Amino acid sequence: MTNSKVGTVTETHKPSINSRLEGLRNLSPQERMQQIVETTPLTQDVAEAFGKGGLPLSVANGMIENVFGTFELPIGIATNFTINGRDYLIPMAVEEPSVVAAASYMARIVRDCGGFQTSSMDPIMRAQIQVPGLGDPYGARARVLNQRQSIIQVANEKDEVLISLGGGCRDVEVHVFDDTPVGPMMVVHLLVDVRDAMGANTVNTMAETVAPLIEEITGGEVRLRILSNYADRRIARAMVRVTPEALATKEYSGERIAKGIVEACAFAIVDPYRAATHNKGIMNGVDPVVVATGNDWRAIEAGAHVWASRSGRYTSLSHWEIDRDGNLVGTLEMPMALGLVGGATKTHPAARAALQILNVETAQELAEVTVAIGLAQNMAALRALATEGIQKGHMALHARNIAIVAGAEGDEVEKVANVLAANHDVRVDRAKEVLATLRKDKG
C-alpha cells in the first residue's frame, strides 16, 4: 500500500501485478478481458459488468430521476504504469481516441526511469455555512472561533461511523467578506476528514447540523449550508523524472524533445488561452479514471480549474523543467476529492469492477493513481506538440471512428482506417470511397 502522506511503498497483502501487457492492442476485446482477469484481482463474475450494458436499468432507475435508459462509453485499460514502485492497470472510460494509447506509451517510457512518484494530503473537505446581514461580522467571527470546540463536537455527534474510522470534523475557519452585492457576509467553514468517502453527503449533513448553533452564536440567520468542491486541503501530487535517452526517437534527440516540452509548458504558464487546452489535456487522463470508478468528474473539473486560477490568473496545472543532469522533470498537483464508498462507486456494477482492477485500498491511493495518469497524459500531449504535432498519432486512431461513421463493419473498420491513416486523409467521404472499393474487390 502507498503511504499517502509521503508516497513511499510499504509491505501489503496485495498481489503484485505486471502492468506491462505487451501486444494487448492486437487482441480481441474478449481476449483482453481474459488477460485482465488473469492479471488483476478482477473476478470473472464481476468482469461480466463490462460489455453487457454495465448498468442494469433497474439499478439506473434508482440512481437518478426520470430514467428511460442507459448511456455507455468505451472503457479501455491503460498499461505500463508503475507508481511508487508498484504496477497498476488503469481502467479509463472515455470516448476520445488516442487517450488510452498515449497514457500507456508515456507510462512505458517512464517505467524504465523509475516510474511515477506520488503523495497526497489527508482527505479534508470543506462545508460552508453562509451568514449574511450581520452588523458586526468581525465580532461574530470572534464569537464563532471562541466556540470552535463546541461546533466541532456538535458536528461530530452526527456521524459516529466516520469518527470510528478515524475521520470527523477537525477544525473551524471563519471568513468575512466586507463588501458583497448584499452587504457584509460571514462564512463559517467546517474542515472535515471524510476518510474514504468523496464526502459531499457527510459535510452537507454536518453543515446543516451546526447551523442552529451558528445562528445562536452570531445572532444572525444562516442561509446556504453546502460543501465546497474547491478541495484545496485535499491535494494529490505526482512527479516524474525522465532521462534524455528515454525520450529520444529516430527523428528527435531526447534533449530536443525535453526542451520542446518545457517550452510548451511555459506557453501554458503565461497564456490562459493555451492553459485552457493544456489543462484539458491533463483532464483527458484524469476524467476517464474518475468516470470509470463512479466518482464525480464535475466536482474534480471544478476544483481543478479553481486551483489553476488560485494566483488570480488562470495558468497551467503542471510544471516541466530540466534538472542539472539534463533530465526532464514533470510535476502535477491538484485537488482530488475521490471516494471508494458511497454513491455510484458502490451502486454501479462497472464502477465496482473498475475498482477491483485498480486494487486500491484508500481514497488517497486512488487520488494519487489518478493524478499520475493526468501527468502521463500531459506529457504525451506536450511531447507530440513539441515534435510531429498532435494530429499525426491522433488522426491515425481517429480514422477508426471515421470508418465506422462511413458504414464499415467488423474487419472492414481496421482496413478502411489503415488506408485513411496511410494517406493522411481522414474524412468520411474518403472513407466511403475506400469502403466501396473494399467491398467491390471483396465481392
Side-chain angles (χ1 to χ4, degrees), residues 314-348:
Y314 189 82
T315 188
S316 170
L317 287 167
S318 65
H319 286 82
W320 291 91
E321 309 159 300
I322 297 175
D323 69 14
R324 63 183 180 182
D325 296 321
N327 300 311
L328 177 68
V329 178
T331 54
L332 171 63
E333 62 177 51
M334 57 186 290
M336 197 59 67
L338 300 179
L340 297 182
V341 297
T345 58
K346 288 298 184 184
T347 57
H348 199 304

PDB file of all heavy atoms in Angstrom, residues 314-348:
ATOM      1  N   TYR A 314      -5.545  32.477 -14.556  1.00  0.00           N
ATOM      2  CA  TYR A 314      -5.625  31.069 -14.955  1.00  0.00           C
ATOM      3  C   TYR A 314      -4.311  30.642 -15.606  1.00  0.00           C
ATOM      4  O   TYR A 314      -3.813  31.309 -16.520  1.00  0.00           O
ATOM      5  CB  TYR A 314      -6.784  30.863 -15.941  1.00  0.00           C
ATOM      6  CG  TYR A 314      -7.070  29.408 -16.227  1.00  0.00           C
ATOM      7  CD1 TYR A 314      -7.846  28.655 -15.351  1.00  0.00           C
ATOM      8  CD2 TYR A 314      -6.561  28.787 -17.358  1.00  0.00           C
ATOM      9  CE1 TYR A 314      -8.106  27.311 -15.601  1.00  0.00           C
ATOM     10  CE2 TYR A 314      -6.822  27.447 -17.619  1.00  0.00           C
ATOM     11  CZ  TYR A 314      -7.595  26.712 -16.738  1.00  0.00           C
ATOM     12  OH  TYR A 314      -7.850  25.388 -16.998  1.00  0.00           O
ATOM     13  N   THR A 315      -3.780  29.506 -15.139  1.00  0.00           N
ATOM     14  CA  THR A 315      -2.471  29.070 -15.612  1.00  0.00           C
ATOM     15  C   THR A 315      -2.379  27.554 -15.640  1.00  0.00           C
ATOM     16  O   THR A 315      -3.359  26.848 -15.344  1.00  0.00           O
ATOM     17  CB  THR A 315      -1.355  29.675 -14.735  1.00  0.00           C
ATOM     18  OG1 THR A 315      -0.084  29.399 -15.312  1.00  0.00           O
ATOM     19  CG2 THR A 315      -1.414  29.121 -13.313  1.00  0.00           C
ATOM     20  N   SER A 316      -1.222  27.039 -15.975  1.00  0.00           N
ATOM     21  CA  SER A 316      -1.002  25.604 -16.099  1.00  0.00           C
ATOM     22  C   SER A 316      -1.095  24.891 -14.754  1.00  0.00           C
ATOM     23  O   SER A 316      -0.587  25.381 -13.737  1.00  0.00           O
ATOM     24  CB  SER A 316       0.386  25.356 -16.697  1.00  0.00           C
ATOM     25  OG  SER A 316       0.740  23.998 -16.627  1.00  0.00           O
ATOM     26  N   LEU A 317      -1.713  23.709 -14.763  1.00  0.00           N
ATOM     27  CA  LEU A 317      -1.740  22.872 -13.571  1.00  0.00           C
ATOM     28  C   LEU A 317      -0.406  22.159 -13.359  1.00  0.00           C
ATOM     29  O   LEU A 317      -0.050  21.828 -12.230  1.00  0.00           O
ATOM     30  CB  LEU A 317      -2.853  21.823 -13.684  1.00  0.00           C
ATOM     31  CG  LEU A 317      -4.289  22.308 -13.527  1.00  0.00           C
ATOM     32  CD1 LEU A 317      -5.268  21.230 -13.983  1.00  0.00           C
ATOM     33  CD2 LEU A 317      -4.566  22.701 -12.085  1.00  0.00           C
ATOM     34  N   SER A 318       0.329  21.919 -14.431  1.00  0.00           N
ATOM     35  CA  SER A 318       1.578  21.160 -14.347  1.00  0.00           C
ATOM     36  C   SER A 318       2.781  22.067 -14.572  1.00  0.00           C
ATOM     37  O   SER A 318       2.649  23.197 -15.059  1.00  0.00           O
ATOM     38  CB  SER A 318       1.587  20.040 -15.390  1.00  0.00           C
ATOM     39  OG  SER A 318       1.587  20.589 -16.707  1.00  0.00           O
ATOM     40  N   HIS A 319       3.938  21.548 -14.217  1.00  0.00           N
ATOM     41  CA  HIS A 319       5.197  22.249 -14.488  1.00  0.00           C
ATOM     42  C   HIS A 319       6.203  21.240 -15.034  1.00  0.00           C
ATOM     43  O   HIS A 319       6.316  20.111 -14.530  1.00  0.00           O
ATOM     44  CB  HIS A 319       5.755  22.905 -13.223  1.00  0.00           C
ATOM     45  CG  HIS A 319       5.008  24.127 -12.804  1.00  0.00           C
ATOM     46  ND1 HIS A 319       3.843  24.061 -12.069  1.00  0.00           N
ATOM     47  CD2 HIS A 319       5.237  25.444 -13.055  1.00  0.00           C
ATOM     48  CE1 HIS A 319       3.393  25.287 -11.873  1.00  0.00           C
ATOM     49  NE2 HIS A 319       4.211  26.134 -12.444  1.00  0.00           N
ATOM     50  N   TRP A 320       6.957  21.657 -16.054  1.00  0.00           N
ATOM     51  CA  TRP A 320       8.000  20.825 -16.646  1.00  0.00           C
ATOM     52  C   TRP A 320       9.306  21.604 -16.648  1.00  0.00           C
ATOM     53  O   TRP A 320       9.331  22.781 -17.002  1.00  0.00           O
ATOM     54  CB  TRP A 320       7.611  20.398 -18.059  1.00  0.00           C
ATOM     55  CG  TRP A 320       6.459  19.439 -18.065  1.00  0.00           C
ATOM     56  CD1 TRP A 320       5.137  19.753 -18.139  1.00  0.00           C
ATOM     57  CD2 TRP A 320       6.532  18.016 -17.954  1.00  0.00           C
ATOM     58  NE1 TRP A 320       4.367  18.609 -18.091  1.00  0.00           N
ATOM     59  CE2 TRP A 320       5.203  17.524 -17.979  1.00  0.00           C
ATOM     60  CE3 TRP A 320       7.589  17.109 -17.850  1.00  0.00           C
ATOM     61  CZ2 TRP A 320       4.904  16.171 -17.892  1.00  0.00           C
ATOM     62  CZ3 TRP A 320       7.288  15.747 -17.759  1.00  0.00           C
ATOM     63  CH2 TRP A 320       5.963  15.292 -17.782  1.00  0.00           C
ATOM     64  N   GLU A 321      10.378  20.941 -16.232  1.00  0.00           N
ATOM     65  CA  GLU A 321      11.685  21.576 -16.081  1.00  0.00           C
ATOM     66  C   GLU A 321      12.777  20.604 -16.528  1.00  0.00           C
ATOM     67  O   GLU A 321      12.512  19.409 -16.718  1.00  0.00           O
ATOM     68  CB  GLU A 321      11.923  21.947 -14.607  1.00  0.00           C
ATOM     69  CG  GLU A 321      10.795  22.731 -13.958  1.00  0.00           C
ATOM     70  CD  GLU A 321      10.819  22.639 -12.443  1.00  0.00           C
ATOM     71  OE1 GLU A 321      10.716  21.510 -11.908  1.00  0.00           O
ATOM     72  OE2 GLU A 321      10.939  23.692 -11.816  1.00  0.00           O
ATOM     73  N   ILE A 322      13.975  21.101 -16.657  1.00  0.00           N
ATOM     74  CA  ILE A 322      15.143  20.261 -16.931  1.00  0.00           C
ATOM     75  C   ILE A 322      16.113  20.430 -15.768  1.00  0.00           C
ATOM     76  O   ILE A 322      16.518  21.552 -15.440  1.00  0.00           O
ATOM     77  CB  ILE A 322      15.806  20.643 -18.265  1.00  0.00           C
ATOM     78  CG1 ILE A 322      14.826  20.395 -19.417  1.00  0.00           C
ATOM     79  CG2 ILE A 322      17.095  19.849 -18.472  1.00  0.00           C
ATOM     80  CD1 ILE A 322      15.313  20.843 -20.768  1.00  0.00           C
ATOM     81  N   ASP A 323      16.459  19.323 -15.112  1.00  0.00           N
ATOM     82  CA  ASP A 323      17.331  19.434 -13.942  1.00  0.00           C
ATOM     83  C   ASP A 323      18.797  19.567 -14.367  1.00  0.00           C
ATOM     84  O   ASP A 323      19.126  19.561 -15.564  1.00  0.00           O
ATOM     85  CB  ASP A 323      17.112  18.255 -12.977  1.00  0.00           C
ATOM     86  CG  ASP A 323      17.591  16.908 -13.527  1.00  0.00           C
ATOM     87  OD1 ASP A 323      18.330  16.894 -14.531  1.00  0.00           O
ATOM     88  OD2 ASP A 323      17.221  15.866 -12.941  1.00  0.00           O
ATOM     89  N   ARG A 324      19.689  19.675 -13.402  1.00  0.00           N
ATOM     90  CA  ARG A 324      21.085  19.959 -13.708  1.00  0.00           C
ATOM     91  C   ARG A 324      21.780  18.804 -14.422  1.00  0.00           C
ATOM     92  O   ARG A 324      22.845  18.986 -15.010  1.00  0.00           O
ATOM     93  CB  ARG A 324      21.835  20.295 -12.419  1.00  0.00           C
ATOM     94  CG  ARG A 324      21.892  19.175 -11.411  1.00  0.00           C
ATOM     95  CD  ARG A 324      22.588  19.637 -10.140  1.00  0.00           C
ATOM     96  NE  ARG A 324      22.650  18.580  -9.147  1.00  0.00           N
ATOM     97  CZ  ARG A 324      23.178  18.748  -7.928  1.00  0.00           C
ATOM     98  NH1 ARG A 324      23.665  19.942  -7.590  1.00  0.00           N
ATOM     99  NH2 ARG A 324      23.194  17.745  -7.071  1.00  0.00           N
ATOM    100  N   ASP A 325      21.162  17.599 -14.372  1.00  0.00           N
ATOM    101  CA  ASP A 325      21.731  16.455 -15.084  1.00  0.00           C
ATOM    102  C   ASP A 325      21.125  16.278 -16.475  1.00  0.00           C
ATOM    103  O   ASP A 325      21.429  15.299 -17.173  1.00  0.00           O
ATOM    104  CB  ASP A 325      21.504  15.175 -14.273  1.00  0.00           C
ATOM    105  CG  ASP A 325      22.234  15.208 -12.934  1.00  0.00           C
ATOM    106  OD1 ASP A 325      23.375  15.707 -12.911  1.00  0.00           O
ATOM    107  OD2 ASP A 325      21.657  14.752 -11.928  1.00  0.00           O
ATOM    108  N   GLY A 326      20.264  17.215 -16.874  1.00  0.00           N
ATOM    109  CA  GLY A 326      19.650  17.145 -18.189  1.00  0.00           C
ATOM    110  C   GLY A 326      18.382  16.315 -18.261  1.00  0.00           C
ATOM    111  O   GLY A 326      17.836  16.100 -19.349  1.00  0.00           O
ATOM    112  N   ASN A 327      17.893  15.846 -17.113  1.00  0.00           N
ATOM    113  CA  ASN A 327      16.670  15.048 -17.095  1.00  0.00           C
ATOM    114  C   ASN A 327      15.435  15.939 -17.170  1.00  0.00           C
ATOM    115  O   ASN A 327      15.417  17.042 -16.607  1.00  0.00           O
ATOM    116  CB  ASN A 327      16.598  14.204 -15.827  1.00  0.00           C
ATOM    117  CG  ASN A 327      17.751  13.244 -15.699  1.00  0.00           C
ATOM    118  OD1 ASN A 327      18.063  12.524 -16.638  1.00  0.00           O
ATOM    119  ND2 ASN A 327      18.398  13.237 -14.539  1.00  0.00           N
ATOM    120  N   LEU A 328      14.403  15.454 -17.820  1.00  0.00           N
ATOM    121  CA  LEU A 328      13.115  16.149 -17.847  1.00  0.00           C
ATOM    122  C   LEU A 328      12.362  15.812 -16.572  1.00  0.00           C
ATOM    123  O   LEU A 328      12.191  14.631 -16.223  1.00  0.00           O
ATOM    124  CB  LEU A 328      12.311  15.704 -19.067  1.00  0.00           C
ATOM    125  CG  LEU A 328      10.904  16.289 -19.204  1.00  0.00           C
ATOM    126  CD1 LEU A 328      10.961  17.782 -19.500  1.00  0.00           C
ATOM    127  CD2 LEU A 328      10.118  15.558 -20.285  1.00  0.00           C
ATOM    128  N   VAL A 329      11.905  16.837 -15.859  1.00  0.00           N
ATOM    129  CA  VAL A 329      11.182  16.651 -14.598  1.00  0.00           C
ATOM    130  C   VAL A 329       9.798  17.275 -14.735  1.00  0.00           C
ATOM    131  O   VAL A 329       9.670  18.459 -15.043  1.00  0.00           O
ATOM    132  CB  VAL A 329      11.937  17.286 -13.415  1.00  0.00           C
ATOM    133  CG1 VAL A 329      11.143  17.108 -12.126  1.00  0.00           C
ATOM    134  CG2 VAL A 329      13.324  16.668 -13.280  1.00  0.00           C
ATOM    135  N   GLY A 330       8.773  16.461 -14.519  1.00  0.00           N
ATOM    136  CA  GLY A 330       7.397  16.955 -14.582  1.00  0.00           C
ATOM    137  C   GLY A 330       6.703  16.787 -13.248  1.00  0.00           C
ATOM    138  O   GLY A 330       6.882  15.774 -12.559  1.00  0.00           O
ATOM    139  N   THR A 331       5.924  17.791 -12.858  1.00  0.00           N
ATOM    140  CA  THR A 331       5.152  17.721 -11.610  1.00  0.00           C
ATOM    141  C   THR A 331       3.729  18.198 -11.859  1.00  0.00           C
ATOM    142  O   THR A 331       3.486  19.084 -12.681  1.00  0.00           O
ATOM    143  CB  THR A 331       5.782  18.584 -10.502  1.00  0.00           C
ATOM    144  OG1 THR A 331       5.957  19.930 -10.983  1.00  0.00           O
ATOM    145  CG2 THR A 331       7.128  18.032 -10.064  1.00  0.00           C
ATOM    146  N   LEU A 332       2.806  17.596 -11.144  1.00  0.00           N
ATOM    147  CA  LEU A 332       1.399  17.981 -11.215  1.00  0.00           C
ATOM    148  C   LEU A 332       0.804  17.850  -9.833  1.00  0.00           C
ATOM    149  O   LEU A 332       0.971  16.819  -9.166  1.00  0.00           O
ATOM    150  CB  LEU A 332       0.642  17.073 -12.200  1.00  0.00           C
ATOM    151  CG  LEU A 332      -0.888  17.216 -12.236  1.00  0.00           C
ATOM    152  CD1 LEU A 332      -1.301  18.607 -12.684  1.00  0.00           C
ATOM    153  CD2 LEU A 332      -1.498  16.143 -13.139  1.00  0.00           C
ATOM    154  N   GLU A 333       0.140  18.896  -9.383  1.00  0.00           N
ATOM    155  CA  GLU A 333      -0.620  18.786  -8.143  1.00  0.00           C
ATOM    156  C   GLU A 333      -1.959  19.484  -8.332  1.00  0.00           C
ATOM    157  O   GLU A 333      -2.049  20.523  -8.992  1.00  0.00           O
ATOM    158  CB  GLU A 333       0.137  19.344  -6.944  1.00  0.00           C
ATOM    159  CG  GLU A 333       0.493  20.812  -6.988  1.00  0.00           C
ATOM    160  CD  GLU A 333       1.185  21.243  -5.697  1.00  0.00           C
ATOM    161  OE1 GLU A 333       2.156  20.576  -5.286  1.00  0.00           O
ATOM    162  OE2 GLU A 333       0.747  22.242  -5.112  1.00  0.00           O
ATOM    163  N   MET A 334      -2.995  18.893  -7.756  1.00  0.00           N
ATOM    164  CA  MET A 334      -4.338  19.423  -7.946  1.00  0.00           C
ATOM    165  C   MET A 334      -5.280  18.814  -6.915  1.00  0.00           C
ATOM    166  O   MET A 334      -4.990  17.753  -6.347  1.00  0.00           O
ATOM    167  CB  MET A 334      -4.829  19.101  -9.365  1.00  0.00           C
ATOM    168  CG  MET A 334      -4.839  17.636  -9.703  1.00  0.00           C
ATOM    169  SD  MET A 334      -5.250  17.283 -11.431  1.00  0.00           S
ATOM    170  CE  MET A 334      -6.993  17.727 -11.437  1.00  0.00           C
ATOM    171  N   PRO A 335      -6.407  19.457  -6.645  1.00  0.00           N
ATOM    172  CA  PRO A 335      -7.402  18.862  -5.744  1.00  0.00           C
ATOM    173  C   PRO A 335      -7.913  17.553  -6.330  1.00  0.00           C
ATOM    174  O   PRO A 335      -8.125  17.438  -7.535  1.00  0.00           O
ATOM    175  CB  PRO A 335      -8.515  19.917  -5.706  1.00  0.00           C
ATOM    176  CG  PRO A 335      -7.870  21.193  -6.147  1.00  0.00           C
ATOM    177  CD  PRO A 335      -6.811  20.793  -7.123  1.00  0.00           C
ATOM    178  N   MET A 336      -8.114  16.558  -5.456  1.00  0.00           N
ATOM    179  CA  MET A 336      -8.547  15.255  -5.951  1.00  0.00           C
ATOM    180  C   MET A 336      -9.469  14.605  -4.919  1.00  0.00           C
ATOM    181  O   MET A 336      -9.070  13.756  -4.124  1.00  0.00           O
ATOM    182  CB  MET A 336      -7.322  14.373  -6.219  1.00  0.00           C
ATOM    183  CG  MET A 336      -7.590  13.171  -7.097  1.00  0.00           C
ATOM    184  SD  MET A 336      -8.239  13.553  -8.731  1.00  0.00           S
ATOM    185  CE  MET A 336      -6.838  14.386  -9.474  1.00  0.00           C
ATOM    186  N   ALA A 337     -10.723  15.043  -4.917  1.00  0.00           N
ATOM    187  CA  ALA A 337     -11.710  14.557  -3.957  1.00  0.00           C
ATOM    188  C   ALA A 337     -12.423  13.334  -4.519  1.00  0.00           C
ATOM    189  O   ALA A 337     -13.496  13.426  -5.111  1.00  0.00           O
ATOM    190  CB  ALA A 337     -12.715  15.660  -3.637  1.00  0.00           C
ATOM    191  N   LEU A 338     -11.800  12.164  -4.319  1.00  0.00           N
ATOM    192  CA  LEU A 338     -12.355  10.908  -4.811  1.00  0.00           C
ATOM    193  C   LEU A 338     -12.747  10.017  -3.642  1.00  0.00           C
ATOM    194  O   LEU A 338     -12.200  10.129  -2.543  1.00  0.00           O
ATOM    195  CB  LEU A 338     -11.324  10.179  -5.682  1.00  0.00           C
ATOM    196  CG  LEU A 338     -10.835  10.924  -6.920  1.00  0.00           C
ATOM    197  CD1 LEU A 338      -9.801  10.093  -7.657  1.00  0.00           C
ATOM    198  CD2 LEU A 338     -11.989  11.282  -7.836  1.00  0.00           C
ATOM    199  N   GLY A 339     -13.687   9.109  -3.892  1.00  0.00           N
ATOM    200  CA  GLY A 339     -14.138   8.203  -2.845  1.00  0.00           C
ATOM    201  C   GLY A 339     -14.153   6.757  -3.298  1.00  0.00           C
ATOM    202  O   GLY A 339     -14.234   6.464  -4.493  1.00  0.00           O
ATOM    203  N   LEU A 340     -14.100   5.870  -2.329  1.00  0.00           N
ATOM    204  CA  LEU A 340     -14.261   4.436  -2.576  1.00  0.00           C
ATOM    205  C   LEU A 340     -15.584   3.925  -2.035  1.00  0.00           C
ATOM    206  O   LEU A 340     -15.979   2.788  -2.326  1.00  0.00           O
ATOM    207  CB  LEU A 340     -13.130   3.637  -1.910  1.00  0.00           C
ATOM    208  CG  LEU A 340     -11.700   3.890  -2.387  1.00  0.00           C
ATOM    209  CD1 LEU A 340     -10.745   2.966  -1.645  1.00  0.00           C
ATOM    210  CD2 LEU A 340     -11.583   3.682  -3.878  1.00  0.00           C
ATOM    211  N   VAL A 341     -16.251   4.728  -1.225  1.00  0.00           N
ATOM    212  CA  VAL A 341     -17.515   4.307  -0.611  1.00  0.00           C
ATOM    213  C   VAL A 341     -18.589   5.345  -0.924  1.00  0.00           C
ATOM    214  O   VAL A 341     -18.315   6.525  -1.077  1.00  0.00           O
ATOM    215  CB  VAL A 341     -17.371   4.156   0.918  1.00  0.00           C
ATOM    216  CG1 VAL A 341     -16.375   3.065   1.250  1.00  0.00           C
ATOM    217  CG2 VAL A 341     -16.951   5.467   1.571  1.00  0.00           C
ATOM    218  N   GLY A 342     -19.812   4.859  -1.034  1.00  0.00           N
ATOM    219  CA  GLY A 342     -20.939   5.758  -1.267  1.00  0.00           C
ATOM    220  C   GLY A 342     -21.152   6.075  -2.729  1.00  0.00           C
ATOM    221  O   GLY A 342     -20.247   5.941  -3.562  1.00  0.00           O
ATOM    222  N   GLY A 343     -22.360   6.485  -3.054  1.00  0.00           N
ATOM    223  CA  GLY A 343     -22.678   6.925  -4.405  1.00  0.00           C
ATOM    224  C   GLY A 343     -22.514   5.821  -5.435  1.00  0.00           C
ATOM    225  O   GLY A 343     -22.653   4.629  -5.149  1.00  0.00           O
ATOM    226  N   ALA A 344     -22.194   6.241  -6.665  1.00  0.00           N
ATOM    227  CA  ALA A 344     -22.099   5.298  -7.775  1.00  0.00           C
ATOM    228  C   ALA A 344     -20.933   4.326  -7.629  1.00  0.00           C
ATOM    229  O   ALA A 344     -20.909   3.281  -8.280  1.00  0.00           O
ATOM    230  CB  ALA A 344     -21.982   6.056  -9.091  1.00  0.00           C
ATOM    231  N   THR A 345     -19.944   4.652  -6.791  1.00  0.00           N
ATOM    232  CA  THR A 345     -18.826   3.728  -6.595  1.00  0.00           C
ATOM    233  C   THR A 345     -19.309   2.398  -6.026  1.00  0.00           C
ATOM    234  O   THR A 345     -18.642   1.375  -6.200  1.00  0.00           O
ATOM    235  CB  THR A 345     -17.765   4.317  -5.645  1.00  0.00           C
ATOM    236  OG1 THR A 345     -18.377   4.627  -4.394  1.00  0.00           O
ATOM    237  CG2 THR A 345     -17.150   5.563  -6.231  1.00  0.00           C
ATOM    238  N   LYS A 346     -20.439   2.404  -5.352  1.00  0.00           N
ATOM    239  CA  LYS A 346     -20.992   1.179  -4.783  1.00  0.00           C
ATOM    240  C   LYS A 346     -22.196   0.659  -5.555  1.00  0.00           C
ATOM    241  O   LYS A 346     -22.452  -0.542  -5.585  1.00  0.00           O
ATOM    242  CB  LYS A 346     -21.386   1.409  -3.306  1.00  0.00           C
ATOM    243  CG  LYS A 346     -20.195   1.533  -2.363  1.00  0.00           C
ATOM    244  CD  LYS A 346     -19.369   0.258  -2.349  1.00  0.00           C
ATOM    245  CE  LYS A 346     -18.234   0.325  -1.347  1.00  0.00           C
ATOM    246  NZ  LYS A 346     -17.373  -0.879  -1.393  1.00  0.00           N
ATOM    247  N   THR A 347     -22.973   1.552  -6.171  1.00  0.00           N
ATOM    248  CA  THR A 347     -24.194   1.112  -6.840  1.00  0.00           C
ATOM    249  C   THR A 347     -23.963   0.676  -8.282  1.00  0.00           C
ATOM    250  O   THR A 347     -24.702  -0.161  -8.800  1.00  0.00           O
ATOM    251  CB  THR A 347     -25.257   2.218  -6.830  1.00  0.00           C
ATOM    252  OG1 THR A 347     -24.723   3.395  -7.457  1.00  0.00           O
ATOM    253  CG2 THR A 347     -25.667   2.560  -5.410  1.00  0.00           C
ATOM    254  N   HIS A 348     -22.947   1.221  -8.935  1.00  0.00           N
ATOM    255  CA  HIS A 348     -22.711   0.924 -10.349  1.00  0.00           C
ATOM    256  C   HIS A 348     -21.817  -0.313 -10.468  1.00  0.00           C
ATOM    257  O   HIS A 348     -20.672  -0.304 -10.030  1.00  0.00           O
ATOM    258  CB  HIS A 348     -22.037   2.114 -11.032  1.00  0.00           C
ATOM    259  CG  HIS A 348     -22.154   2.115 -12.519  1.00  0.00           C
ATOM    260  ND1 HIS A 348     -21.733   1.062 -13.292  1.00  0.00           N
ATOM    261  CD2 HIS A 348     -22.649   3.036 -13.388  1.00  0.00           C
ATOM    262  CE1 HIS A 348     -21.951   1.325 -14.564  1.00  0.00           C
ATOM    263  NE2 HIS A 348     -22.516   2.526 -14.648  1.00  0.00           N
TER     264      HIS A 348
END
